[in-house]
Amino acid sequence: MTAHPVIGRLLATALMLAGLAGPAGAQSEPAPPAAGAGWVHAVTLMGEPKYGPDFRHFDYANPDAPKGGLVRLGTQGGFDNFNVVVSGLKGDLEGGVALLYDTLTTESLDEPFTSYGLLAEALRVAPDLGSVTYRLRESAKWHDGVPVTPEDVVWSFETLKANSPFYAAYYQTVAKAEATGPREVTFTFSETGNRELPQVIGQIRVLPKHWWTGKDAQGRPRNVTETTLEPPLGSGPYRLEKFEPGRTATYTRVADYWGRDLPVNAGRNNFGTQRYEYFRDGTVLVEALKGDLYDFRVENIARNWATAYDDFPAVKDGRLIKEAFPDRGNGTMQAFVFNARRDKFRDPRVRRAFNLAMNFEEMNRALFYGLYKRIDSYFYGSELASSGLPEGAERALLDAVKDKVPASVFTTPYRNPVSDTPDAVRANLREAVRLLREAGYEQREGRMVNKATGEPLTVEFLEFQNTFERVILPFSAQLKLIGIGTSLRVIDQAQYQNRMRGFDFDITTGSWPESLSPGNEQREYWGSAAADKPGARNLIGIKDAGIDALIERVIFATDRPGVLAATHALDRVLLAHDYVVPQWASNVSRTLRWNRFSHPAVLPQYGSSGFPTTWWYDEAAAARTGAPR
């Protein structure tokens, strides 16, 4: 399960060189979420919720945090859209627009897989997990004072599912939503036993039906299927105050926000103003931080972390704080991704040859200052990652699909090539050439060509950040040694989005963040049904019966050991196909911030720093550093 995943790879690209922590340790076995229970305040996949129905605030939030002040967040690119319905299909969505909307539930960041009521005060799950009913809070209101109704929830569900490829896939087994009481909404599923669905549907961003089906200030009917720069009506803690298209958007805290006194909101949403500042180039983003044009940066480029800040006067005198926070409870796959829809990438031997050609060890030394480790799992950094050879329950799952998965999953643990010596580099390149020959290629005059057609094997790396050039060029040099021609095209963010939606690429960088509760999103990541769906997260184009079967075993696992066994099996099969060339990761989130803020003594276990959600503006620190502009 992932919380509000973003279609495409724009958000994930910000994770370039990002790190994930190691296994979170032993976990208790979960019961199906509140199955057969009456109304409950929370639902979890892991035992019992940490916080009871009378809790006052999350432990990682300070209910006495002062309110007010400004925080400025920097982001790369631009925006021309405030409509979340067509996000990933049309236009570039403004990043702060999520602040406008509340969801049925919200997740705790110090326990895995637990959701507490936000718009909904309670929920009730059917004994067979075939439906869930949410009861809305009577106090829930839109910013115009109109109550949030079951009709809003039903309309939001139907609109998102009809117009968003991601939500169409994510909610594909949610058959219908209907108002079943004055403040009740029931979601009926087309399958039973899917323990995650009640929580998945709780993440839905509820939109105001009366606003979207009404008219704008000029009397024109609004169209939810089109982009808009009209500030939307929301129900959340902030409203959009002003903006300059593509450059900046300012959100102000709603003084009479209906949910300000809820326990789930105590000590959260403390800033009076949140402003998003846009910059076209990653290099400019670094300089803008130094110029005090925004306040907080997650530094995902090792070179910058190692060299760009230590001599900067503001870092030396403590006005700009450089701090790493541990990342826990997550997993990821970040990689060079092949478009397997193209003939030249259909053979796994060709894909493996590319991995053999990449010299990660030299890249890590020369470019990354030794800060990274090679990713070797689609769930890297978590207990969900496979290792060794399959045993026990995992082996039984794989035996059941033995005729649909590569034989190597039973005999050979996945390992990335290691190029730590000149001899190892040469051996890997020789093995790459051997595999390419087996796949129907041969070298002619220094070029790798198809034996049958004579067509040279060439690839284009497609990116939208110039920072990738420094890692792709050495990879390209290695590929050239075995006769593979390469080129790099860096295009603007809008063009990149369009090409990703249409799967118009050879190789790009993809990233799939994973929670400790994999589930329905796996269909969208790797499932056959998503392979040809425009805008889907199955960038690779995987259509594989064995993988489809294992995805279903992950989704319908009934306890934690079952989740682990099914996820390990799925991970092992994905790796065996060599769909990607894995990149690299760290186990910390490296950050820089202007010293104007404070945070609770306890940080969220699974939320890294928790910035800016539970932080606040510190007047005393800001007085020493200087007020933000």
Side-chain angles (χ1 to χ4, degrees):
M1 178 173 65
T2 57
H4 304 308
V6 177
I7 302 170
R9 179 269 219 172
L10 299 177
L11 175 64
T13 303
L15 297 175
M16 164 82 178
L17 318 177
L20 280 293
Q27 306 285 355
S28 59
E29 294 185 16
W39 293 104
V40 295
H41 74 292
V43 62
T44 182
L45 296 183
M46 294 293 290
E48 296 295 326
K50 174 180 178 180
Y51 299 97
D54 297 324
F55 82 101
R56 304 296 296 274
H57 62 87
F58 293 133
D59 289 347
Y60 55 86
N62 176 11
D64 300 319
K67 308 297 185 184
L70 166 67
V71 62
R72 303 161 304 165
L73 303 169
T75 187
Q76 185 174 343
F79 68 92
D80 59 4
N81 180 29
F82 293 126
N83 182 2
V84 299
V85 173
V86 295
S87 170
L89 281 175
K90 304 173 183 177
D92 296 322
L93 186 70
E94 202 290 302
V97 74
L99 295 170
L100 301 178
Y101 301 109
D102 279 331
T103 49
L104 292 173
T105 59
T106 188
E107 279 67 49
S108 162
L109 298 179
D110 59 350
E111 53 184 325
F113 332 137
T114 305
S115 302
Y116 294 84
L118 182 52
L119 281 172
E121 65 183 8
L123 67 154
R124 185 173 60 202
V125 182
D128 64 354
L129 301 177
S131 68
V132 61
T133 300
Y134 283 90
R135 187 173 69 213
L136 299 178
R137 297 183 192 272
E138 189 172 6
S139 58
K141 290 180 172 57
W142 300 103
H143 294 160
D144 62 0
V146 174
V148 179
T149 66
E151 288 71 25
D152 290 319
V153 180
V154 173
W155 183 85
S156 299
F157 165 76
E158 293 174 348
T159 301
L160 287 166
K161 189 173 181 180
N163 294 286
S164 166
F166 174 79
Y167 285 106
Y170 204 43
Y171 299 150
Q172 63 179 303
T173 55
V174 184
K176 64 179 178 178
E178 55 188 335
T180 50
R183 290 189 287 121
E184 294 180 12
V185 182
T186 297
F187 297 90
T188 302
F189 309 137
S190 61
E191 59 190 11
T192 57
N194 189 327
R195 64 200 184 98
E196 188 185 48
L197 273 180
Q199 282 180 263
V200 166
I201 204 66
Q203 297 173 346
I204 190 169
R205 186 173 288 125
V206 180
L207 309 174
K209 178 182 178 180
H210 72 282
W211 190 87
W212 278 105
T213 57
K215 296 181 179 180
D216 63 19
Q218 287 72 44
R220 296 172 298 200
R222 296 186 180 95
N223 186 346
V224 76
T225 67
E226 297 296 333
T227 61
T228 183
L229 283 173
E230 180 185 8
L233 177 69
S235 64
Y238 290 86
R239 61 166 48 95
L240 179 60
E241 180 184 9
K242 60 183 179 180
F243 65 94
E244 294 179 44
R247 297 185 62 185
T248 183
T250 301
Y251 298 82
T252 57
R253 194 169 184 270
V254 178
D256 60 350
Y257 167 49
W258 73 271
R260 64 186 181 276
D261 297 325
L262 294 178
V264 294
N265 284 331
R268 302 173 72 215
N269 308 311
N270 300 316
F271 291 103
T273 303
Q274 294 195 35
R275 192 166 78 213
Y276 287 74
E277 303 283 5
Y278 284 78
F279 303 91
R280 292 290 181 182
D281 181 81
T283 302
V284 175
L285 262 172
V286 173
E287 297 307 314
L289 179 74
K290 291 182 177 181
D292 198 6
L293 297 181
Y294 66 99
D295 291 304
F296 185 91
R297 172 176 174 81
V298 176
E299 182 52 80
N300 293 315
I301 300 177
R303 178 184 59 183
N304 289 344
W305 184 254
T307 66
Y309 305 105
D310 287 348
D311 293 332
F312 187 57
V315 172
K316 289 183 175 181
D317 63 26
R319 288 179 295 129
L320 185 63
I321 296 175
K322 185 179 178 186
E323 185 174 4
F325 296 92
D327 276 336
R328 294 179 289 256
N330 296 291
T332 195
M333 168 53 81
Q334 180 175 292
F336 291 115
V337 177
F338 299 103
N339 186 353
R341 302 168 187 83
R342 299 194 167 174
D343 288 341
K344 58 188 170 184
F345 298 129
R346 292 186 187 277
D347 193 315
R349 293 170 294 189
V350 173
R351 302 192 295 260
R352 181 66 179 181
F354 278 77
N355 198 347
L356 285 157
M358 192 175 84
N359 188 340
F360 165 73
E361 285 70 29
E362 176 61 20
M363 293 167 70
N364 196 30
R365 182 193 66 79
L367 301 178
F368 306 150
Y369 299 84
L371 293 175
Y372 296 103
K373 293 183 178 179
R374 190 84 189 274
I375 291 173
D376 58 1
S377 167
Y378 281 77
F379 302 86
Y380 177 82
S382 79
E383 64 179 349
L384 300 168
S386 61
S387 63
L389 290 174
E391 299 176 348
E394 181 192 356
R395 175 63 190 249
L397 288 173
L398 290 168
D399 282 338
V401 291
K402 192 169 186 177
D403 59 332
K404 299 180 177 68
V405 302
S408 62
V409 302
F410 299 99
T411 61
T412 310
Y414 178 86
R415 292 187 179 90
N416 287 308
V418 177
S419 297
D420 54 351
T421 66
D423 286 345
V425 173
R426 287 190 290 270
N428 286 336
L429 292 177
R430 284 195 295 269
E431 176 64 8
V433 171
R434 186 189 69 80
L435 289 175
L436 289 167
R437 286 174 176 164
E438 284 188 1
Y441 288 89
E442 65 182 7
Q443 288 178 307
R444 298 178 188 172
E445 299 178 351
R447 295 193 302 174
M448 190 66 65
V449 301
N450 186 294
K451 294 177 184 177
T453 66
E455 181 181 0
L457 179 55
T458 63
V459 297
E460 178 188 78
F461 289 86
L462 185 68
E463 302 290 346
F464 72 92
Q465 293 190 99
N466 289 324
T467 53
F468 280 90
E469 182 176 1
R470 59 194 292 268
V471 298
I472 290 174
L473 291 181
F475 187 14
S476 296
Q478 292 293 106
L479 292 169
K480 184 178 180 180
L481 292 176
I482 58 175
I484 298 176
T486 67
S487 62
L488 167 63
R489 179 172 294 186
V490 180
I491 57 181
D492 66 42
Q493 195 165 336
Q495 288 179 300
Y496 182 84
Q497 275 189 313
N498 286 331
R499 289 187 64 171
M500 290 300 103
R501 289 172 193 137
F503 307 120
D504 181 15
F505 69 95
D506 280 347
I507 299 176
T508 190
T509 294
S511 184
W512 295 269
E514 298 280 5
S515 74
L516 287 178
S517 176
N520 294 271
E521 76 286 342
Q522 303 300 308
R523 291 169 172 160
E524 177 76 358
Y525 287 176
W526 332 114
S528 297
D532 297 322
K533 188 184 303 178
R537 292 295 306 272
N538 188 346
L539 292 179
I540 301 165
I542 298 172
K543 293 182 180 180
D544 185 90
I547 289 172
D548 289 338
L550 290 171
I551 289 172
E552 297 306 298
R553 297 307 296 263
V554 171
I555 292 171
F556 287 96
T558 58
D559 55 25
R560 189 62 182 170
V563 170
L564 292 175
T567 308
H568 291 162
L570 173 62
D571 183 38
R572 196 180 301 279
V573 174
L574 286 167
L575 290 168
H577 282 287
D578 285 298
Y579 287 125
V580 300
V581 177
Q583 292 183 354
W584 37 85
S586 175
N587 62 355
V588 296
S589 175
R590 297 185 294 267
T591 71
L592 297 108
R593 67 181 186 273
W594 284 94
N595 189 12
R596 301 184 176 104
F597 314 104
S598 289
H599 61 74
V602 176
L603 292 176
Q605 183 175 359
Y606 300 118
S608 188
S609 68
F611 187 91
T613 306
T614 58
W615 292 47
W616 60 88
Y617 190 81
D618 187 323
E619 295 279 0
R624 295 188 296 269
T625 299
R629 290 175 281 174

